[in-house]
Protein backbone atom coordinates (compact mmCIF):
# COMPACT_ATOMS: atom_id res chain seq x y z
CA UNK A 1 0.00 0.00 0.00
CA UNK A 2 1.28 3.45 -0.82
CA UNK A 3 1.97 5.89 2.01
CA UNK A 4 2.65 9.61 2.30
CA UNK A 5 5.98 10.70 0.85
CA UNK A 6 8.66 11.38 3.43
CA UNK A 7 10.76 14.44 2.70
CA UNK A 8 13.93 15.43 4.52
CA UNK A 9 14.60 19.17 4.33
CA UNK A 10 18.21 20.07 5.08
CA UNK A 11 19.94 23.36 5.80
CA UNK A 12 22.72 24.67 8.01
CA UNK A 13 20.12 26.40 10.17
CA UNK A 14 16.54 27.62 9.98
CA UNK A 15 16.75 29.00 6.43
CA UNK A 16 15.15 25.91 4.93
CA UNK A 17 11.93 26.93 6.68
CA UNK A 18 11.33 29.33 3.78
CA UNK A 19 11.24 26.22 1.57
CA UNK A 20 9.12 24.30 4.09
CA UNK A 21 6.30 26.84 3.78
CA UNK A 22 6.17 26.24 0.02
CA UNK A 23 6.43 22.44 0.42
CA UNK A 24 3.54 22.33 2.89
CA UNK A 25 1.43 24.27 0.39
CA UNK A 26 2.39 22.18 -2.62
CA UNK A 27 2.43 18.78 -0.88
CA UNK A 28 0.04 19.00 2.08
CA UNK A 29 0.08 15.21 2.61
CA UNK A 30 3.85 14.80 2.75
CA UNK A 31 5.64 13.88 5.98
CA UNK A 32 8.29 16.52 6.57
CA UNK A 33 11.36 16.09 8.70
CA UNK A 34 13.75 19.02 9.03
CA UNK A 35 17.45 18.73 9.74
CA UNK A 36 19.69 21.68 10.53
CA UNK A 37 23.43 21.30 10.88
CA UNK A 38 23.44 23.86 13.64
CA UNK A 39 26.87 22.70 14.81
CA UNK A 40 28.23 23.73 11.40
CA UNK A 41 26.29 27.01 10.99
CA UNK A 42 27.02 29.29 9.17
CA UNK A 43 27.99 27.34 6.04
CA UNK A 44 28.74 30.61 4.22
CA UNK A 45 32.05 30.92 6.03
CA UNK A 46 33.42 27.39 5.43
CA UNK A 47 36.26 26.50 3.08
CA UNK A 48 34.89 24.41 0.21
CA UNK A 49 36.85 21.17 0.73
CA UNK A 50 35.96 21.01 4.40
CA UNK A 51 32.33 21.86 3.79
CA UNK A 52 31.85 19.08 1.21
CA UNK A 53 33.29 16.61 3.73
CA UNK A 54 31.02 17.94 6.48
CA UNK A 55 27.86 17.78 4.36
CA UNK A 56 28.58 14.18 3.26
CA UNK A 57 29.24 13.14 6.83
CA UNK A 58 26.04 14.71 8.17
CA UNK A 59 23.91 13.45 5.26
CA UNK A 60 25.09 9.86 5.75
CA UNK A 61 23.84 9.86 9.35
CA UNK A 62 20.61 11.66 8.47
CA UNK A 63 19.69 9.26 5.67
CA UNK A 64 20.18 6.29 7.94
CA UNK A 65 17.98 7.87 10.57
CA UNK A 66 15.20 9.31 8.42
CA UNK A 67 15.08 7.07 5.30
CA UNK A 68 13.39 9.75 3.20
CA UNK A 69 11.92 9.34 -0.28
CA UNK A 70 13.52 12.61 -1.31
CA UNK A 71 15.91 15.16 0.20
CA UNK A 72 15.44 18.87 -0.35
CA UNK A 73 18.69 20.74 0.20
CA UNK A 74 17.13 23.99 1.38
CA UNK A 75 20.46 25.74 1.26
CA UNK A 76 22.17 27.53 -1.64
CA UNK A 77 25.57 27.40 0.03
CA UNK A 78 25.40 23.59 0.22
CA UNK A 79 23.64 23.02 -3.12
CA UNK A 80 26.02 25.12 -5.24
CA UNK A 81 28.89 23.12 -3.78
CA UNK A 82 27.78 19.59 -3.03
CA UNK A 83 24.73 18.65 -5.07
CA UNK A 84 26.66 16.58 -7.61
CA UNK A 85 28.69 14.81 -4.92
CA UNK A 86 25.56 14.01 -2.93
CA UNK A 87 23.88 12.53 -6.01
CA UNK A 88 26.96 10.42 -6.74
CA UNK A 89 27.25 9.22 -3.18
CA UNK A 90 23.63 8.41 -2.27
CA UNK A 91 20.72 6.71 -4.04
CA UNK A 92 17.89 8.95 -2.81
CA UNK A 93 16.80 11.82 -5.11
CA UNK A 94 18.04 15.29 -4.14
CA UNK A 95 16.36 18.58 -4.98
CA UNK A 96 18.71 21.54 -4.67
CA UNK A 97 18.26 25.26 -4.10
CA UNK A 98 20.39 27.54 -6.26
CA UNK A 99 20.21 31.31 -6.86
CA UNK A 100 17.24 32.14 -9.12
CA UNK A 101 19.38 34.06 -11.63
CA UNK A 102 17.54 32.77 -14.70
CA UNK A 103 14.07 34.09 -13.71
CA UNK A 104 15.63 37.34 -12.47
CA UNK A 105 17.33 37.94 -15.83
CA UNK A 106 14.03 37.22 -17.56
CA UNK A 107 12.10 39.69 -15.36
CA UNK A 108 14.38 42.72 -15.17
CA UNK A 109 13.30 45.81 -17.07
CA UNK A 110 16.33 47.93 -16.20
CA UNK A 111 18.81 45.21 -17.17
CA UNK A 112 20.32 45.30 -13.67
CA UNK A 113 19.77 42.48 -11.19
CA UNK A 114 20.94 42.11 -7.62
CA UNK A 115 22.01 38.77 -6.21
CA UNK A 116 22.15 38.52 -2.43
CA UNK A 117 23.81 35.35 -1.17
CA UNK A 118 26.28 34.09 1.41
CA UNK A 119 30.01 34.74 0.86
CA UNK A 120 30.35 31.02 0.05
CA UNK A 121 27.66 31.00 -2.65
CA UNK A 122 29.12 34.15 -4.22
CA UNK A 123 32.54 32.47 -4.51
CA UNK A 124 31.16 29.33 -6.19
CA UNK A 125 31.96 28.42 -9.76
CA UNK A 126 28.33 27.23 -9.99
CA UNK A 127 27.02 30.74 -9.34
CA UNK A 128 29.40 32.31 -11.86
CA UNK A 129 28.25 29.79 -14.46
CA UNK A 130 24.58 30.64 -13.79
CA UNK A 131 25.39 34.31 -14.39
CA UNK A 132 27.38 33.65 -17.56
CA UNK A 133 24.69 31.35 -18.93
CA UNK A 134 21.48 33.21 -18.08
CA UNK A 135 22.40 36.80 -17.21
CA UNK A 136 25.24 37.53 -19.64
CA UNK A 137 23.18 40.44 -21.03
CA UNK A 138 22.53 41.98 -17.58
CA UNK A 139 24.56 43.95 -15.11
CA UNK A 140 24.71 41.75 -12.03
CA UNK A 141 25.27 43.18 -8.56
CA UNK A 142 26.52 40.04 -6.80
CA UNK A 143 26.96 40.45 -3.06
CA UNK A 144 28.06 38.01 -0.36
CA UNK A 145 26.35 39.30 2.77
CA UNK A 146 28.52 38.42 5.77
CA UNK A 147 25.85 38.38 8.50
CA UNK A 148 22.44 38.31 6.85
CA UNK A 149 21.76 34.61 7.54
CA UNK A 150 22.69 35.19 11.18
CA UNK A 151 20.27 38.13 11.37
CA UNK A 152 17.50 35.82 10.14
CA UNK A 153 18.40 33.32 12.89
CA UNK A 154 18.22 36.14 15.44
CA UNK A 155 14.76 37.13 14.22
CA UNK A 156 13.55 33.52 14.33
CA UNK A 157 14.83 33.14 17.88
CA UNK A 158 12.65 36.13 18.84
CA UNK A 159 15.40 38.77 18.78
CA UNK A 160 15.30 42.23 17.23
CA UNK A 161 16.97 42.96 13.90
CA UNK A 162 18.81 46.29 13.75
CA UNK A 163 17.60 48.13 10.61
CA UNK A 164 20.95 49.88 10.13
CA UNK A 165 22.82 46.59 10.18
CA UNK A 166 20.25 45.10 7.82
CA UNK A 167 20.65 47.98 5.37
CA UNK A 168 24.44 47.64 5.50
CA UNK A 169 24.07 43.94 4.62
CA UNK A 170 21.90 44.55 1.55
CA UNK A 171 23.03 47.97 0.29
CA UNK A 172 25.76 46.70 -2.12
CA UNK A 173 23.03 45.41 -4.47
CA UNK A 174 21.41 48.84 -4.41
CA UNK A 175 24.42 50.74 -5.78
CA UNK A 176 23.58 52.77 -8.90
CA UNK A 177 27.14 53.27 -10.09
CA UNK A 178 25.95 56.05 -12.38
CA UNK A 179 23.74 53.64 -14.29
CA UNK A 180 20.28 52.12 -14.04
CA UNK A 181 19.17 50.70 -10.69
CA UNK A 182 18.53 47.02 -9.98
CA UNK A 183 14.81 46.28 -10.20
CA UNK A 184 14.98 42.58 -9.32
CA UNK A 185 16.86 41.06 -6.38
CA UNK A 186 17.50 37.33 -6.07
CA UNK A 187 17.24 35.93 -2.55
CA UNK A 188 20.18 33.56 -2.99
CA UNK A 189 20.11 32.16 0.53
CA UNK A 190 17.10 30.42 2.05
CA UNK A 191 17.44 32.48 5.22
CA UNK A 192 16.73 35.74 3.41
CA UNK A 193 12.99 35.32 2.62
CA UNK A 194 12.54 35.08 6.40
CA UNK A 195 13.66 38.74 6.55
CA UNK A 196 11.67 39.93 3.54
CA UNK A 197 9.37 42.35 5.41
CA UNK A 198 12.33 43.97 7.15
CA UNK A 199 14.36 44.21 3.92
CA UNK A 200 11.45 45.79 2.08
CA UNK A 201 11.28 48.43 4.80
CA UNK A 202 14.95 49.44 4.61
CA UNK A 203 15.54 49.00 0.87
CA UNK A 204 16.39 52.35 -0.82
CA UNK A 205 13.79 51.68 -3.55
CA UNK A 206 11.21 48.99 -4.25
CA UNK A 207 12.34 45.92 -6.20
CA UNK A 208 10.93 42.50 -7.08
CA UNK A 209 12.47 39.99 -4.68
CA UNK A 210 12.83 36.48 -6.08
CA UNK A 211 12.36 33.57 -3.69
CA UNK A 212 12.93 30.21 -5.39
CA UNK A 213 10.87 28.24 -2.82
CA UNK A 214 7.69 27.74 -4.90
CA UNK A 215 9.77 26.41 -7.82
CA UNK A 216 11.60 24.03 -5.47
CA UNK A 217 8.29 22.75 -4.11
CA UNK A 218 7.01 22.10 -7.65
CA UNK A 219 10.23 20.28 -8.56
CA UNK A 220 9.96 18.14 -5.41
CA UNK A 221 6.39 17.26 -6.26
CA UNK A 222 7.30 16.12 -9.76
CA UNK A 223 10.22 14.03 -8.46
CA UNK A 224 8.04 12.36 -5.86
CA UNK A 225 5.50 11.44 -8.52
CA UNK A 226 8.15 9.08 -9.94
CA UNK A 227 9.34 7.65 -6.63
CA UNK A 228 8.04 4.31 -5.38
CA UNK A 229 6.62 4.81 -1.88
CA UNK A 230 5.66 1.23 -1.20
CA UNK A 231 8.35 0.53 1.42
CA UNK A 232 7.00 0.13 4.92
CA UNK A 233 10.19 1.27 6.61
CA UNK A 234 10.20 1.31 10.35
CA UNK A 235 11.64 4.70 11.10
CA UNK A 236 12.15 6.06 14.54
CA UNK A 237 11.93 9.69 13.50
CA UNK A 238 8.31 10.79 13.33
CA UNK A 239 6.96 13.34 10.90
CA UNK A 240 7.32 17.00 11.90
CA UNK A 241 10.51 16.30 13.81
CA UNK A 242 13.33 18.80 13.73
CA UNK A 243 16.82 17.34 13.99
CA UNK A 244 19.67 19.58 15.17
CA UNK A 245 23.35 18.66 15.25
CA UNK A 246 24.24 21.16 17.94
CA UNK A 247 24.64 20.14 21.53
CA UNK A 248 24.00 23.70 22.66
CA UNK A 249 20.32 22.88 23.08
CA UNK A 250 19.75 22.52 26.81
CA UNK A 251 16.11 21.44 26.78
CA UNK A 252 13.88 19.28 24.65
CA UNK A 253 11.74 22.27 23.68
CA UNK A 254 11.46 22.82 19.94
CA UNK A 255 12.97 26.27 19.10
CA UNK A 256 10.19 28.78 18.40
CA UNK A 257 10.94 29.30 14.70
CA UNK A 258 10.60 25.58 13.97
CA UNK A 259 7.54 25.18 16.19
CA UNK A 260 5.89 28.04 14.27
CA UNK A 261 6.49 26.11 11.04
CA UNK A 262 4.69 23.00 12.31
CA UNK A 263 7.60 21.02 13.77
CA UNK A 264 6.60 19.75 17.19
CA UNK A 265 9.31 17.19 18.05
CA UNK A 266 13.02 17.73 18.58
CA UNK A 267 15.92 15.32 18.15
CA UNK A 268 19.53 16.24 18.85
CA UNK A 269 22.11 14.11 17.06
CA UNK A 270 25.76 14.28 17.92
CA UNK A 271 27.77 14.96 14.77
CA UNK A 272 30.76 16.91 16.10
CA UNK A 273 32.83 19.13 13.81
N1 LIG B 1 20.57 28.98 4.27
C1 LIG B 1 21.83 28.85 3.65
C2 LIG B 1 21.77 29.16 2.16
O1 LIG B 1 20.73 29.05 1.54
C3 LIG B 1 23.07 29.49 4.20
C4 LIG B 1 23.25 30.01 5.55
C5 LIG B 1 24.67 29.74 6.08
O2 LIG B 1 25.57 30.54 5.83
O3 LIG B 1 24.82 28.71 6.72
O4 LIG B 1 22.75 29.50 1.55
Amino acid sequence: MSRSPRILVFDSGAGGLSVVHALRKQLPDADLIYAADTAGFPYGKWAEVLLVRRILRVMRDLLELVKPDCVVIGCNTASTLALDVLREEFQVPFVGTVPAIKPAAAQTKTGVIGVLATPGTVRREYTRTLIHTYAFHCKVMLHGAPRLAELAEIKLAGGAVDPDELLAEISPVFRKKGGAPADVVVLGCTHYPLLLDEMQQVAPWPVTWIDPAPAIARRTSSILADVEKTRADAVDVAQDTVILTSQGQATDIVPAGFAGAGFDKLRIVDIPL
Side-chain angles (χ1 to χ4, degrees):
M1 202 179 76
S2 191
R3 55 166 171 76
S4 307
R6 185 180 307 134
I7 304 171
L8 172 65
V9 181
F10 174 76
D11 182 33
S12 55
L17 291 179
S18 63
V19 180
V20 162
H21 297 311
L23 286 171
R24 290 207 191 276
K25 235 184 188 171
Q26 177 85 33
L27 293 156
D29 297 331
D31 293 355
L32 296 191
I33 290 150
Y34 190 103
D37 185 10
T38 39
F41 180 86
Y43 274 2
K45 293 191 176 142
W46 281 65
E48 295 195 348
V49 197
L50 299 177
L51 185 55
V52 173
R53 205 181 297 159
R54 173 69 187 172
I55 292 168
L56 287 175
R57 157 97 213 271
V58 173
M59 192 54 65
R60 183 160 297 116
D61 286 9
L62 289 174
L63 292 180
E64 216 161 276
L65 200 62
V66 177
K67 298 186 175 69
D69 298 300
C70 173
V71 180
V72 175
I73 305 291
C75 177
N76 295 257
T77 314
S79 298
T80 50
L81 179 68
L83 211 46
D84 288 347
V85 192
L86 286 165
R87 287 179 176 142
E88 272 165 34
E89 192 71 18
F90 306 109
Q91 291 282 308
V92 64
F94 286 90
V95 178
T97 308
V98 300
I101 287 163
K102 188 181 178 182
Q107 283 181 46
T108 178
K109 303 260 188 306
T110 61
V112 184
I113 65 174
V115 179
L116 271 179
T118 66
T121 298
V122 162
R123 278 195 306 270
R124 302 274 188 267
E125 199 50 48
Y126 193 110
T127 306
R128 306 274 161 175
T129 304
L130 283 178
I131 292 171
H132 291 144
T133 310
Y134 299 111
F136 56 88
H137 55 298
C138 299
K139 186 153 137 194
V140 179
M141 308 286 211
L142 178 63
H143 173 56
R147 272 197 24 96
L148 202 44
E150 278 150 288
L151 295 185
E153 291 281 341
I154 289 171
K155 176 187 171 183
L156 235 64
V161 176
D162 174 11
D164 292 336
E165 191 178 6
L166 187 60
L167 178 59
E169 290 287 317
I170 68 168
S171 59
V173 300
F174 287 94
R175 274 172 302 137
K176 275 190 188 155
K177 270 194 189 162
D183 59 346
V184 178
V185 174
V186 175
L187 299 168
C189 166
T190 52
H191 279 77
Y192 302 168
L194 305 172
L195 286 172
L196 186 56
D197 290 346
E198 290 81 354
M199 289 195 290
Q200 276 170 332
Q201 274 167 32
V202 300
W205 58 81
V207 292
T208 301
W209 304 85
I210 303 201
D211 175 2
I216 293 159
R218 287 195 296 276
R219 177 83 192 120
T220 308
S221 171
S222 81
I223 282 191
L224 283 170
D226 296 334
V227 169
E228 270 287 298
K229 295 178 290 291
T230 49
R231 286 176 298 129
D233 289 324
V235 276
D236 66 345
V237 179
Q239 64 167 301
D240 296 326
T241 296
V242 54
I243 301 171
L244 306 180
T245 60
S246 164
Q247 296 298 306
Q249 188 75 22
T251 68
D252 55 2
I253 297 169
V254 179
F258 294 106
F263 295 94
D264 56 3
K265 294 169 258 331
L266 176 69
R267 174 81 70 101
I268 307 288
V269 293
D270 190 18
I271 313 180
L273 296 180

